[in-house]
Structures are given as structure tokens and as C-alpha cells.
Amino acid sequence: MESTLLQSEPPKPPVSVDAFYGKEGPTDKQIIFRDALEKYKLFGGGVGGGKSRAICAEGLRLSFLFPNNRGFLCRAEAEAFRRTTLNTLMGAITEVEDMMGQKIISKNGHNQTKKEIHLINGSMIMYGGLGVTPEDQDRIKSLEIGWYGVDEASEAPAKVVNMLKARLRLKLPDGSFPKYFGMYASNPEPGWLKDEFVTPHFLGIPRESHIFVQSLIKDNPYLPPDYLDELSRDNPASWVKRYVEGSWDAVEGQVWPDFDRSVHVYPNESSDFDILPPTKLQSDPIAGLDHGQTNPTAFIAGYTDGDGNIFIFDEYYSKGLVSSHCSEILGKFDIEKFQYIEADPSMMAKTREKNGMPWSIFEEYEEYGIPLGPANNSKEAGWNRVGEYIRIDPNHIHPITGKMGSPRIFFSSRCVNLLTEIPEYIWKRLSDENSNPKEEARKLKDHACDALRYLIMSLPSPYERDKINDAPEGSFNFIIRNMRGSKKRGMITN
């Protein structure tokens, strides 16, 4: 970096080299991270993307841009920091000193007992664990800092990170304030970091003052030539998807592991195509509804085409009373155009009372103008059916690109809650006591997934479209189709 950042004037490195990243300089992704002005920055992706070096380099930069600045570089567990991130930081300092031709740590400036590094311009870098021990927590509560960097931030509890955010309040000796930054580096893991940075980024609605920069092995030209090939060859596919390809949706035990945001969601980073509500030339919409009061109610709307593809174009997702749900759904969707709306059949139970008579949630929705039909609530069949539509069929023509090899379901990026739930919809962890346990999905944040399952179960398996009669008289499908044809419910035969 320019030597004018130092108090004395050392020899200058070549102007094209950023000394904080060593002689090789930053990668293209590290440059994006470096130059981003958002207050909170996540540098994330697979292994080998240069994440730890980036937050160490930027911590040093901020320390020299603002003399007498103070920063805190940390990881969830102090010993893990000492064995990993501290080595990266000290290596970066050594490279800077070699390139600048002078020491940048003041004399006796590294106090390993206090975990402090004092720099020659009066700035200080504190380091250590992030609140795992009472000692760490007390230290964080007393901080006043201008920046912080959390390595492997997915390991850190969100409440402790929020405490760090509140410590960004340092005033410099001259009465001015430094530019405040909270920086994170992490491999792909589920949790608060994904919810705060990654999901909003891929949905095209990043949080204010937040930026996510994804860096993968292929983005780091300074790694050994066989590094990528060896990792891909020697590790399980699920590990490769997460830690090599950098997928934040590759969660162990997923119910629908074939879901891929870059394949199933539009618009995406490679296409501006938008999945809009159906036109008059397309089929009428259909929907699934999962009712909740203390939990959210989810309404998932879609339509099909003549080739057996499903397009999920919008959603409603909120807590509240039936009256509130109905008002919002009627305001957002033209319900009269829907062929049918499938809902949990348990909603037909007359568990309520009106005018002294038993009353069901189904009847309440219908009273407000949203007629419902009882969905096929076979969970195992539903999970499998949705998976069939998500899976890529090498012999199916893609309805958007026209290329061979395609899934049969596509989602609008407007379906924020559904797209948040799908990657984290996982199987329960079952004990080994039962040699043949029944598979069950975990009941957590599954309301939009349930509504999607109800919608999909109203349609045939994509591999059985040529079946002559899938609704023989007296069967469940026969009854449901007759109900859809009821004029009372305002639905038509599928």
C-alpha cells in the first residue's frame, strides 16, 4: 500500500501492488471486497478462496488509513484463532514489512498476553476468541473499536456478533470518527450469516449496508495447479458442492438435494427471465395453502404448461388471523382465476364455533371468498413428487433455454420465503435403535414447503403423464376432482 499511510517515509513498493496482500497482490474477488464501501462485508465461499487473508489485509489497511484506530480480529474459539487466523495475520504483517523495508509493529508492540498488536502509527489490533468464555465476553463488552473482522463467522453466535456491532463507536484523538466496518469470512454454512448476507444477495434484495462477495477456488490464481482437481476427486459429492463449489444451499440431509438456485430460480445471475403470473394464453393458476396463526400461513401460487412444467410465480407468507390472511391474499392474487387451491385436509375439522354451530377453518376461508380443496396429505409421496419435479431429467427440454436436460419446476425470485425454506428443509436425525426407521422431515420453517407439497400433489408424477386413468371412480383423485368441479367452490375440472 502507499507508504504515505505510515508515519515515516519508507521505500515505496511498485504502485500496481497492494502490499497488504503481499507481492502477488489481491485476487479480483479480494479487490471487490477491499473496495466495497458497505459497512458490513462478507467474503465467503469454498476453501482456498483467500477469505482469511482478505479480512487480515483489510484490518491492516484500516489501521493505517486511520492512525490511532482500534480493531478486533477474532474467531469463535480463541485457540482456533491462534492456530489459524493469527498465523495469517502475522504472515501478512511480515510481507508488508518486507515490501516496505521497515517494521510496522512498534517496538515490543506485540503483547501476546493481552492479545494486542500496537502499530507504529498508534493504531492497535486486538485479537482472540469471540465470547465463548466469560473472559472473552467481558472483553467484548468493554471494547470501543473502529472495525472488526470475524474469521469463520458462521461458527460465531449471532447475539455475540450483534454485541460487536454495538462496539463500532470509536472516536479518534482528534475528535473525528474512522470509517466503521464489520467484516466476515466464512465457508458456506446454514445459520444467521446466510440469512443476513447470502440469501438476500441471491434473491436480489441485499440488506442495506451489507454486501456478500463470493470467492471460490477458481477465483484464486495463486493456489497449486492440482489443488482443485484433487479436492474434487478425493471428497464426497456433498462436500465438494459446499466447500469447492461454494454452495450455501448444500445442507447435509436435505429433503430435496437437487435444488439449485442457479438452475431453478429466475431471474438469476445468468438470465433476466422473469416468471410472471400466467396470461390468458397460459393455463389458469393453481395454489397450495398451509394455514397458521402463531406460525405463518403460506400461500404458494403457480401454473403449468403443456409440457408438464410448473412455474411458481408468487407467494404470500405471514402470521395472523384468517381475516388478515384472506384480505392480503385477495389483494395480491385474482382468486377467481384460480382453478383450485389445495390445503391441509385437517383444516376441514370443525374445531371452531359460529352462531352456536361447529365451524371449520375451511369454511372461514370460504366465507371470506377463498374456496379451498382438501390436499392429498401423504407426506412421503409428496416429498417424492416434489423431488421428481425438481430433479433434472436429461431427456426433458428446458422451457426457458430450449436446451436438452431440465427440471420440471421453476421458481420466481419473488418467492423469498419458499426459497429460504427449501435448502434448509432437512430430514430428522433418527436414532440407530430402529433398524428401519420411518423418514420424517424436520418440522421447522416448513410452512411454504408444505404449501408447495399440497400444490404438487394435485398434479400427476411427471413420469406418469401418459397414464390413461389416474382417477377411477371412487378413488381419492376422483373425489377431489369432483370437488374441484363443484360450482359452489367456484372451481373447474382439471
Side-chain angles (χ1 to χ4, degrees), residues 113-125:
T113 301
K114 291 184 177 181
K115 301 175 183 175
E116 296 174 352
I117 298 175
H118 295 262
L119 303 174
I120 60 175
N121 69 340
S123 290
M124 177 173 63
I125 298 175

Side-chain angles (χ1 to χ4, degrees), residues 212-414:
F212 167 54
V213 179
Q214 185 174 42
S215 181
L216 306 177
I217 293 174
K218 63 183 179 63
D219 298 315
N220 188 348
Y222 308 127
L223 293 171
D226 297 331
Y227 185 74
L228 175 58
D229 291 339
E230 289 179 359
L231 286 181
S232 301
R233 181 191 65 218
D234 298 339
N235 290 283
S238 59
W239 190 96
V240 171
K241 186 173 182 181
R242 180 184 295 187
Y243 296 112
V244 175
E245 299 174 6
S247 172
W248 290 76
D249 293 334
V251 179
E252 184 178 356
Q254 286 175 307
V255 175
W256 299 313
D258 293 317
F259 174 78
D260 186 332
R261 197 177 298 272
S262 65
V263 172
H264 295 91
V265 181
Y266 285 86
N268 55 42
E269 291 187 342
S270 59
S271 174
D272 294 330
F273 182 85
D274 195 6
I275 299 175
L276 300 173
T279 65
K280 291 181 179 180
L281 298 178
Q282 295 166 319
S283 65
D284 290 334
I286 57 180
L289 183 144
D290 184 62
H291 172 75
Q293 190 161 313
T294 56
N295 291 318
T297 286
F299 181 95
I300 304 299
Y303 63 94
T304 61
D305 66 8
D307 296 316
N309 299 299
I310 306 172
F311 300 90
I312 306 299
F313 64 87
D314 214 337
E315 68 173 12
Y316 163 80
Y317 192 95
S318 182
K319 296 180 180 180
L321 301 173
V322 173
S323 57
S324 174
H325 298 322
C326 291
S327 176
E328 293 291 333
I329 291 171
L330 289 168
K332 189 170 187 176
F333 301 95
D334 189 350
I335 292 299
E336 291 186 356
K337 291 184 177 180
F338 278 72
Q339 295 182 53
Y340 53 83
I341 303 167
E342 303 286 82
D344 185 349
S346 67
M347 293 165 58
M348 299 178 71
K350 295 182 182 294
T351 57
R352 304 185 176 198
E353 186 176 292
K354 182 178 181 181
N355 300 327
M357 299 295 291
W359 186 250
S360 70
I361 301 174
F362 257 53
E363 291 169 312
E364 190 169 356
Y365 272 91
E366 185 162 356
E367 185 178 57
Y368 283 108
I370 300 180
L372 305 175
N376 181 342
N377 196 23
S378 172
K379 294 180 180 179
E380 294 85 352
W383 294 324
N384 183 67
R385 183 76 52 84
V386 175
E388 288 179 334
Y389 278 91
I390 289 176
R391 191 174 304 123
I392 293 177
D393 182 347
N395 299 313
H396 187 64
I397 297 175
H398 199 292
I400 299 170
T401 67
K403 296 180 179 179
M404 187 66 74
S406 172
R408 287 180 167 84
I409 187 167
F410 303 90
F411 304 88
S412 166
S413 61
R414 286 184 296 277

Side-chain angles (χ1 to χ4, degrees), residues 428-438:
K428 284 182 180 178
R429 287 198 175 111
L430 303 172
S431 68
D432 295 330
E433 296 176 5
N434 188 342
S435 61
N436 189 25
K438 180 179 179 181

